[in-house]
Structures are given as structure tokens and as C-alpha cells.
Coordinates of all heavy atoms in Angstrom, one line a residue:
M1372 N 34.0 31.8 0.1 CA 35.2 32.3 0.8 C 35.9 31.0 1.3 O 35.3 30.1 1.9 CB 34.8 33.1 2.2 CG 35.9 33.7 2.9 SD 35.5 34.7 4.2 CE 35.4 36.3 3.5
S1373 N 37.2 31.0 1.1 CA 37.9 29.8 1.4 C 38.3 29.8 3.0 O 38.1 30.7 3.5 CB 39.3 29.7 0.5 OG 40.1 30.7 1.1
V1374 N 38.7 28.7 3.4 CA 39.1 28.5 4.8 C 40.3 29.5 5.1 O 40.2 30.1 6.1 CB 39.5 27.0 5.2 CG1 40.2 27.0 6.5 CG2 38.3 26.1 5.0
N1375 N 41.2 29.5 4.2 CA 42.4 30.5 4.4 C 41.9 31.9 4.4 O 42.4 32.7 5.2 CB 43.4 30.2 3.3 CG 44.2 29.0 3.5 OD1 44.3 28.5 4.6 ND2 44.8 28.5 2.4
E1376 N 40.9 32.3 3.7 CA 40.4 33.7 3.6 C 39.6 33.9 5.1 O 39.8 34.9 5.6 CB 39.3 33.8 2.5 CG 40.1 33.9 1.1 CD 39.2 34.0 0.0 OE1 38.1 33.3 0.1 OE2 39.4 34.7 -1.1
V1377 N 38.9 33.0 5.5 CA 38.3 33.0 6.8 C 39.3 33.2 7.9 O 39.2 34.1 8.8 CB 37.3 31.8 7.1 CG1 36.9 31.9 8.5 CG2 36.2 31.7 6.1
K1378 N 40.4 32.4 7.8 CA 41.4 32.5 8.8 C 42.0 33.9 8.8 O 42.3 34.6 9.8 CB 42.5 31.4 8.6 CG 42.1 30.1 9.0 CD 43.3 29.1 8.9 CE 43.0 27.8 9.6 NZ 44.2 27.0 9.3
A1379 N 42.3 34.5 7.6 CA 42.8 35.8 7.5 C 42.0 36.9 8.0 O 42.5 37.7 8.7 CB 43.2 36.0 5.9
Q1380 N 40.7 36.7 7.8 CA 39.7 37.7 8.3 C 39.7 37.6 9.8 O 39.6 38.6 10.5 CB 38.3 37.6 7.7 CG 38.2 38.0 6.3 CD 38.6 39.4 6.1 OE1 38.1 40.2 6.9 NE2 39.4 39.7 5.1
L1381 N 39.7 36.4 10.4 CA 39.7 36.2 11.8 C 40.9 36.7 12.4 O 41.0 37.3 13.5 CB 39.5 34.7 12.2 CG 38.1 34.0 11.9 CD1 38.2 32.5 12.1 CD2 37.0 34.8 12.8
G1382 N 42.1 36.6 11.6 CA 43.4 37.2 12.1 C 43.3 38.7 12.3 O 43.8 39.2 13.2
K1383 N 42.7 39.3 11.2 CA 42.5 40.7 11.3 C 41.6 41.2 12.5 O 41.9 42.1 13.1 CB 41.9 41.2 10.0 CG 42.9 41.2 8.8 CD 42.2 41.7 7.5 CE 43.1 41.5 6.3 NZ 42.5 41.9 5.0
G1384 N 40.6 40.5 12.7 CA 39.7 40.7 13.8 C 40.4 40.5 15.2 O 40.2 41.4 16.0
L1385 N 41.2 39.5 15.3 CA 41.9 39.3 16.5 C 43.0 40.4 16.6 O 43.2 40.8 17.8 CB 42.7 38.0 16.4 CG 41.9 36.8 16.6 CD1 42.6 35.4 16.2 CD2 41.4 36.6 18.0
E1386 N 43.7 40.8 15.7 CA 44.6 42.0 15.8 C 43.9 43.3 16.3 O 44.4 43.9 17.2 CB 45.2 42.2 14.4 CG 46.3 43.4 14.4 CD 47.0 43.5 13.0 OE1 47.1 42.5 12.3 OE2 47.3 44.6 12.6
S1387 N 42.7 43.5 15.8 CA 41.9 44.7 16.3 C 41.5 44.5 17.7 O 41.6 45.5 18.4 CB 40.8 44.9 15.3 OG 41.1 45.2 13.9
A1388 N 41.0 43.3 18.0 CA 40.6 43.1 19.4 C 41.9 43.2 20.3 O 41.6 43.9 21.4 CB 40.0 41.7 19.5
R1389 N 42.9 42.8 20.0 CA 44.1 42.9 20.8 C 44.5 44.4 21.0 O 45.0 44.7 22.0 CB 45.3 42.0 20.3 CG 45.0 40.6 20.6 CD 46.1 39.7 20.0 NE 45.9 38.3 20.3 CZ 45.8 37.3 19.4 NH1 46.0 37.7 18.1 NH2 45.6 36.1 19.6
S1390 N 44.5 45.1 19.9 CA 44.9 46.5 19.9 C 43.9 47.3 20.8 O 44.3 48.1 21.6 CB 44.9 47.1 18.5 OG 45.0 48.5 18.5
G1391 N 42.5 47.0 20.6 CA 41.6 47.6 21.5 C 41.8 47.3 23.0 O 41.6 48.1 23.8
R1392 N 42.1 46.0 23.2 CA 42.4 45.6 24.6 C 43.6 46.3 25.3 O 43.5 46.8 26.4 CB 42.6 44.2 24.7 CG 42.9 43.5 26.1 CD 43.4 42.1 26.0 NE 44.5 42.0 25.2 CZ 45.0 40.8 24.7 NH1 44.4 39.7 25.1 NH2 46.0 40.8 24.0
N1393 N 44.6 46.4 24.4 CA 45.8 47.2 24.9 C 45.5 48.7 25.2 O 45.9 49.2 26.1 CB 47.0 47.1 23.9 CG 47.5 45.6 23.8 OD1 47.2 44.8 24.7 ND2 48.1 45.3 22.7
T1394 N 44.7 49.2 24.4 CA 44.2 50.7 24.6 C 43.4 50.7 25.8 O 43.6 51.7 26.6 CB 43.3 51.1 23.3 OG1 44.2 51.1 22.2 CG2 42.9 52.6 23.6
L1395 N 42.5 49.8 26.0 CA 41.7 49.8 27.2 C 42.6 49.6 28.4 O 42.3 50.2 29.5 CB 40.6 48.7 27.2 CG 39.5 49.2 26.4 CD1 38.4 47.8 26.3 CD2 38.7 50.3 26.9
R1396 N 43.6 48.8 28.3 CA 44.5 48.5 29.5 C 45.3 49.9 29.9 O 45.4 50.2 31.0 CB 45.5 47.4 29.2 CG 44.9 46.1 29.3 CD 46.0 45.0 28.9 NE 45.4 43.7 29.2 CZ 45.9 42.6 28.7 NH1 47.0 42.6 27.8 NH2 45.4 41.4 28.9
Q1397 N 45.7 50.6 28.8 CA 46.3 51.8 29.1 C 45.4 52.8 29.7 O 45.6 53.6 30.7 CB 46.9 52.4 27.8 CG 48.0 51.6 27.2 CD 48.4 52.1 25.9 OE1 47.8 52.9 25.2 NE2 49.5 51.6 25.4
A1398 N 44.1 52.8 29.3 CA 43.1 53.7 29.8 C 42.8 53.4 31.3 O 42.7 54.2 32.1 CB 41.8 53.7 29.0
A1399 N 42.7 52.1 31.5 CA 42.4 51.7 32.8 C 43.6 51.9 33.9 O 43.3 52.5 35.0 CB 42.2 50.2 32.9
A1400 N 44.9 51.9 33.3 CA 45.9 52.3 34.2 C 45.9 53.8 34.4 O 46.0 54.2 35.7 CB 47.3 52.0 33.5
A1401 N 45.6 54.7 33.5 CA 45.4 56.0 33.8 C 44.4 56.4 34.6 O 44.4 57.3 35.5 CB 45.4 56.7 32.4
A1402 N 43.2 55.7 34.4 CA 42.0 56.0 35.2 C 42.2 55.6 36.7 O 41.8 56.3 37.6 CB 40.8 55.3 34.6
G1403 N 43.0 54.5 36.8 CA 43.3 54.1 38.1 C 44.2 55.0 38.9 O 43.9 55.3 40.0
E1404 N 45.1 55.5 38.1 CA 46.0 56.5 38.8 C 45.2 57.9 39.2 O 45.3 58.4 40.2 CB 47.1 56.8 37.9 CG 48.2 57.7 38.4 CD 49.3 58.0 37.5 OE1 49.7 57.0 36.7 OE2 49.9 59.1 37.4
A1405 N 44.4 58.3 38.2 CA 43.5 59.5 38.5 C 42.6 59.2 39.6 O 42.5 60.1 40.4 CB 42.7 59.8 37.2
L1406 N 42.0 58.1 39.6 CA 41.2 57.8 40.8 C 41.8 57.8 42.2 O 41.4 58.3 43.2 CB 40.4 56.4 40.6 CG 39.4 56.0 41.7 CD1 38.3 57.0 41.8 CD2 38.8 54.7 41.2
G1407 N 43.0 57.2 42.2 CA 43.8 57.3 43.3 C 44.1 58.7 43.8 O 44.1 59.0 45.0
L1408 N 44.5 59.5 42.9 CA 44.8 61.0 43.2 C 43.6 61.7 43.7 O 43.7 62.4 44.7 CB 45.4 61.6 42.0 CG 46.8 61.3 41.6 CD1 47.2 61.9 40.2 CD2 47.9 61.6 42.7
A1409 N 42.5 61.3 43.0 CA 41.2 62.0 43.4 C 40.9 61.6 44.8 O 40.3 62.4 45.6 CB 40.1 61.8 42.3
T1410 N 40.9 60.3 45.0 CA 40.6 59.7 46.4 C 41.4 60.4 47.4 O 40.9 60.8 48.4 CB 40.7 58.2 46.3 OG1 39.9 57.7 45.4 CG2 40.4 57.6 47.7
S1411 N 42.7 60.5 47.1 CA 43.7 61.2 48.2 C 43.3 62.6 48.4 O 43.3 63.1 49.6 CB 45.1 61.1 47.7 OG 45.5 59.8 47.7
T1412 N 42.9 63.3 47.3 CA 42.6 64.7 47.4 C 41.3 64.9 48.1 O 41.2 65.9 49.0 CB 42.3 65.3 46.0 OG1 43.6 65.2 45.2 CG2 42.0 66.8 46.0
C1413 N 40.3 64.0 48.0 CA 39.0 64.1 48.6 C 38.9 63.4 50.0 O 37.8 63.4 50.5 CB 37.9 63.6 47.7 SG 37.8 64.6 46.2
Q1414 N 40.0 62.9 50.5 CA 40.0 62.1 51.7 C 39.5 63.0 52.8 O 39.9 64.2 53.0 CB 41.5 61.6 52.1 CG 41.5 60.6 53.1 CD 42.8 60.1 53.3 OE1 43.8 60.5 52.7 NE2 42.9 58.9 54.2
G1415 N 38.5 62.4 53.6 CA 37.9 63.3 54.7 C 36.8 64.1 54.2 O 36.1 64.7 55.1
S1416 N 36.6 64.3 52.9 CA 35.6 65.1 52.5 C 34.3 64.4 52.6 O 34.1 63.2 52.3 CB 35.8 65.5 51.0 OG 34.6 66.1 50.5
N1417 N 33.2 65.0 53.1 CA 31.8 64.5 53.2 C 31.0 65.1 52.2 O 29.8 65.0 52.3 CB 31.3 64.7 54.7 CG 32.0 63.8 55.7 OD1 32.5 62.8 55.3 ND2 32.3 64.5 56.8
H1418 N 31.6 65.8 51.3 CA 30.7 66.5 50.3 C 30.1 65.4 49.4 O 30.9 64.6 48.9 CB 31.7 67.5 49.4 CG 30.8 68.4 48.7 ND1 30.2 68.1 47.5 CD2 30.5 69.7 49.0 CE1 29.6 69.2 47.0 NE2 29.7 70.2 47.9
E1419 N 28.8 65.6 49.3 CA 28.0 64.5 48.5 C 28.5 64.4 47.0 O 28.7 63.3 46.5 CB 26.6 64.8 48.6 CG 25.8 63.8 47.9 CD 24.2 64.1 48.1 OE1 23.9 64.9 48.9 OE2 23.4 63.5 47.3
R1420 N 28.8 65.5 46.4 CA 29.2 65.5 44.9 C 30.6 64.8 44.9 O 30.8 64.2 43.8 CB 29.0 66.9 44.4 CG 27.8 67.3 44.2 CD 27.7 68.6 43.3 NE 26.4 69.1 43.2 CZ 26.0 70.2 42.7 NH1 26.9 71.1 42.3 NH2 24.8 70.6 42.6
A1421 N 31.4 65.1 45.8 CA 32.8 64.5 45.7 C 32.7 63.0 45.9 O 33.3 62.2 45.1 CB 33.7 65.1 46.7
T1422 N 31.9 62.5 46.9 CA 31.8 61.1 47.0 C 31.0 60.4 46.0 O 31.4 59.3 45.4 CB 31.1 60.7 48.4 OG1 29.9 61.4 48.4 CG2 32.0 61.2 49.5
D1423 N 30.1 61.1 45.4 CA 29.4 60.5 44.2 C 30.3 60.5 42.9 O 30.2 59.3 42.3 CB 28.1 61.4 43.8 CG 27.0 61.3 44.8 OD1 27.0 60.3 45.6 OD2 26.0 62.0 44.6
A1424 N 31.1 61.5 42.8 CA 32.1 61.4 41.6 C 33.1 60.3 41.8 O 33.4 59.6 40.8 CB 32.8 62.8 41.6
L1425 N 33.5 60.1 42.9 CA 34.5 59.0 43.2 C 33.9 57.7 43.0 O 34.5 56.8 42.5 CB 35.1 59.1 44.7 CG 36.1 60.3 44.9 CD1 36.3 60.3 46.3 CD2 37.3 60.2 44.1
D1426 N 32.6 57.5 43.5 CA 31.9 56.2 43.2 C 31.7 56.0 41.8 O 31.9 54.9 41.4 CB 30.5 56.3 44.1 CG 30.7 56.2 45.5 OD1 31.9 55.9 46.0 OD2 29.8 56.4 46.1
T1427 N 31.3 57.0 41.1 CA 31.0 56.9 39.6 C 32.4 56.6 38.9 O 32.3 55.6 38.0 CB 30.5 58.2 39.0 OG1 29.3 58.5 39.8 CG2 30.2 58.1 37.6
A1428 N 33.4 57.2 39.3 CA 34.7 56.9 38.6 C 35.2 55.4 38.9 O 35.7 54.6 38.0 CB 35.7 57.9 39.1
A1429 N 35.0 55.0 40.1 CA 35.3 53.5 40.5 C 34.4 52.6 39.7 O 34.9 51.5 39.2 CB 35.1 53.4 42.0
C1430 N 33.2 52.9 39.5 CA 32.3 52.0 38.7 C 32.8 52.0 37.3 O 32.8 50.9 36.7 CB 30.9 52.5 38.8 SG 30.0 52.2 40.4
A1431 N 33.2 53.1 36.8 CA 33.7 53.3 35.4 C 35.0 52.3 35.2 O 35.1 51.6 34.2 CB 33.9 54.6 34.9
L1432 N 35.8 52.4 36.2 CA 37.0 51.7 36.2 C 36.7 50.2 36.2 O 37.3 49.4 35.5 CB 38.0 52.1 37.3 CG 39.3 51.5 37.3 CD1 40.1 51.7 36.0 CD2 40.1 52.0 38.5
R1433 N 35.8 49.7 37.0 CA 35.3 48.3 37.1 C 34.8 47.9 35.7 O 35.0 46.7 35.2 CB 34.4 48.1 38.2 CG 35.0 47.9 39.6 CD 34.0 47.6 40.7 NE 32.8 48.3 40.9 CZ 32.9 49.4 41.7 NH1 34.0 49.7 42.3 NH2 31.9 50.2 41.8
E1434 N 33.9 48.8 35.1 CA 33.4 48.4 33.7 C 34.6 48.2 32.7 O 34.6 47.3 31.9 CB 32.5 49.4 33.3 CG 31.1 49.4 34.0 CD 30.4 48.0 34.1 OE1 30.5 47.6 32.9 OE2 29.8 47.7 34.9
I1435 N 35.6 49.1 32.8 CA 36.7 49.0 31.9 C 37.4 47.6 32.1 O 37.7 46.8 31.2 CB 37.7 50.0 32.1 CG1 37.1 51.5 31.6 CG2 39.1 49.7 31.3 CD1 38.0 52.6 31.9
E1436 N 37.7 47.2 33.4 CA 38.3 46.0 33.7 C 37.3 44.8 33.3 O 38.0 43.8 32.8 CB 38.5 45.9 35.2 CG 39.6 46.8 35.6 CD 39.8 47.1 37.1 OE1 38.8 46.6 37.9 OE2 40.7 47.7 37.6
L1437 N 36.1 44.8 33.4 CA 35.2 43.8 32.9 C 35.3 43.7 31.4 O 35.3 42.6 30.8 CB 33.8 44.0 33.3 CG 33.3 43.9 34.8 CD1 32.0 44.3 35.3 CD2 33.5 42.3 35.1
T1438 N 35.3 44.8 30.7 CA 35.4 44.8 29.3 C 36.7 44.2 28.7 O 36.8 43.3 27.9 CB 35.3 46.2 28.6 OG1 34.1 46.8 29.1 CG2 35.5 46.3 27.3
I1439 N 37.8 44.4 29.4 CA 39.1 43.8 29.2 C 39.0 42.3 29.3 O 39.4 41.5 28.5 CB 40.3 44.3 30.0 CG1 40.5 45.8 29.6 CG2 41.5 43.6 29.9 CD1 41.4 46.5 30.6
A1440 N 38.3 41.8 30.3 CA 38.1 40.4 30.6 C 37.3 39.8 29.5 O 37.6 38.6 29.0 CB 37.5 40.1 32.0
R1441 N 36.3 40.5 29.1 CA 35.5 40.0 28.0 C 36.2 39.9 26.7 O 36.0 38.9 26.0 CB 34.2 40.9 27.8 CG 33.2 40.6 29.0 CD 32.0 41.5 28.7 NE 31.1 41.5 30.0 CZ 30.9 42.6 30.8 NH1 31.5 43.7 30.5 NH2 30.1 42.5 31.9
L1442 N 37.0 40.9 26.5 CA 37.9 40.8 25.2 C 38.9 39.7 25.3 O 39.0 38.9 24.3 CB 38.6 42.2 25.1 CG 37.8 43.3 24.4 CD1 38.6 44.6 24.5 CD2 37.5 43.0 22.9
D1443 N 39.5 39.5 26.5 CA 40.4 38.3 26.7 C 39.7 37.0 26.3 O 40.2 36.2 25.6 CB 40.9 38.3 28.1 CG 41.9 39.3 28.3 OD1 42.6 39.8 27.4 OD2 42.2 39.7 29.5
A1444 N 38.5 37.0 26.8 CA 37.7 35.6 26.6 C 37.4 35.5 25.2 O 37.5 34.3 24.6 CB 36.6 35.6 27.5
G1445 N 36.9 36.5 24.6 CA 36.7 36.5 23.1 C 37.7 36.2 22.2 O 37.7 35.4 21.3
I1446 N 39.0 36.8 22.5 CA 40.2 36.5 21.8 C 40.6 35.1 21.9 O 40.9 34.6 20.9 CB 41.2 37.6 22.3 CG1 41.0 39.0 21.9 CG2 42.6 37.1 21.8 CD1 41.8 40.0 22.5
E1447 N 40.4 34.6 23.1 CA 40.9 33.2 23.2 C 39.9 32.3 22.5 O 40.4 31.3 21.8 CB 40.7 32.9 24.7 CG 41.3 31.4 25.1 CD 41.2 31.1 26.6 OE1 41.3 32.1 27.4 OE2 41.1 29.8 26.9
L1448 N 38.5 32.5 22.5 CA 37.6 31.7 21.7 C 37.9 31.7 20.2 O 38.0 30.7 19.5 CB 36.2 32.1 22.1 CG 35.7 31.7 23.5 CD1 34.3 32.4 23.7 CD2 35.5 30.2 23.5
V1449 N 38.0 32.9 19.8 CA 38.4 33.1 18.3 C 39.7 32.5 17.9 O 39.7 31.8 16.9 CB 38.1 34.6 17.9 CG1 38.7 34.7 16.5 CG2 36.8 35.2 18.2
D1450 N 40.7 32.8 18.8 CA 41.9 32.1 18.5 C 41.8 30.6 18.3 O 42.4 29.9 17.4 CB 42.9 32.6 19.5 CG 44.4 32.8 19.0 OD1 44.5 32.8 17.7 OD2 45.2 32.6 19.8
T1451 N 41.1 30.0 19.3 CA 41.0 28.5 19.4 C 40.1 28.0 18.1 O 40.6 27.1 17.5 CB 40.2 28.0 20.6 OG1 41.0 28.6 21.8 CG2 40.1 26.6 20.7
Y1452 N 39.1 28.8 17.9 CA 38.3 28.3 16.5 C 39.2 28.5 15.3 O 39.2 27.5 14.7 CB 37.1 29.3 16.6 CG 36.4 29.2 15.2 CD1 35.5 28.1 15.0 CD2 36.4 30.0 14.2 CE1 34.7 27.9 13.9 CE2 35.7 29.9 13.1 CZ 34.8 28.8 12.9 OH 34.1 28.7 11.8
R1453 N 39.9 29.6 15.3 CA 40.8 29.8 14.0 C 41.8 28.7 14.0 O 42.1 28.2 12.8 CB 41.4 31.1 14.2 CG 42.3 31.5 13.0 CD 42.9 33.0 13.2 NE 43.8 33.3 12.0 CZ 45.0 33.6 12.3 NH1 45.6 33.6 13.6 NH2 45.8 33.9 11.3
A1454 N 42.4 28.3 15.0 CA 43.4 27.2 15.0 C 42.8 25.9 14.6 O 43.4 25.1 14.0 CB 44.0 27.1 16.4
G1455 N 41.5 25.8 14.9 CA 40.9 24.5 14.5 C 40.5 24.4 13.1 O 40.0 23.3 12.7
L1456 N 40.4 25.5 12.3 CA 40.0 25.4 11.0 C 41.0 24.8 10.1 O 42.2 24.8 10.3 CB 39.8 27.0 10.5 CG 38.6 27.7 11.0 CD1 38.5 29.0 10.5 CD2 37.3 26.9 10.7

């Protein structure tokens, strides 16, 4: 495989990673909005299942945000590597 072919493959991978990151950003925005509405709806509720569900949703949102950060870091590394080829 030539250097140009490697660069082309890395470019395709970067495109996929950026697309996935954008999808996750949209999902995080929707999840954040839904969590805000659910939190408002359940405000003052001491029902264990409601608080557990809100906590679980908040944890899921944090995981999405961490995944986005990991994708950002990976994209930056691959982009730097590709530029150096």
C-alpha cells in the first residue's frame, strides 16, 4: 500500500469518525433536553424509581460526552499523523 493510499484510507476513517461524532452530538443535545424535561417533571418526587431513572439518564449523558471527547482526541491524533505522512 502506498503512502497516498494510506492517507486516503485514513481520510475515510476520519470522515466516518467526524460523522459519528456529529451524530453523537445531536444525540447528546436531544438527551440533555429530554433529561431537563424529565427532571422538571419529577421535581419534588421522592419516588425511588424516578430518581434512579434520572440518575441513570444523567450517567448515560455523561458517557456520551466522554465518548465525544475521545473521538475528538482520536480525530486530532489521526489527522496529525496523516498530515505527517
Side-chain angles (χ1 to χ4, degrees):
M1372 184 177 271
S1373 73
V1374 172
N1375 286 335
E1376 290 172 325
V1377 170
K1378 284 183 173 184
Q1380 289 300 313
L1381 289 172
K1383 289 178 184 178
L1385 285 167
E1386 186 179 321
S1387 293
R1389 287 183 179 119
S1390 176
R1392 179 189 58 192
N1393 292 339
T1394 300
L1395 282 174
R1396 283 182 176 158
Q1397 291 171 353
E1404 186 177 326
L1406 180 57
L1408 291 171
T1410 300
S1411 294
T1412 301
C1413 295
Q1414 190 172 11
S1416 173
N1417 292 326
H1418 196 280
E1419 185 177 339
R1420 287 188 182 173
T1422 56
D1423 287 349
L1425 291 174
D1426 290 345
T1427 300
C1430 286
L1432 185 55
R1433 280 191 296 278
E1434 289 299 321
I1435 292 171
E1436 291 165 351
L1437 288 171
T1438 301
I1439 291 168
R1441 289 182 188 111
L1442 278 169
D1443 284 339
I1446 288 167
E1447 184 177 335
L1448 286 172
V1449 172
D1450 209 21
T1451 301
Y1452 175 74
R1453 182 175 176 244
L1456 288 178

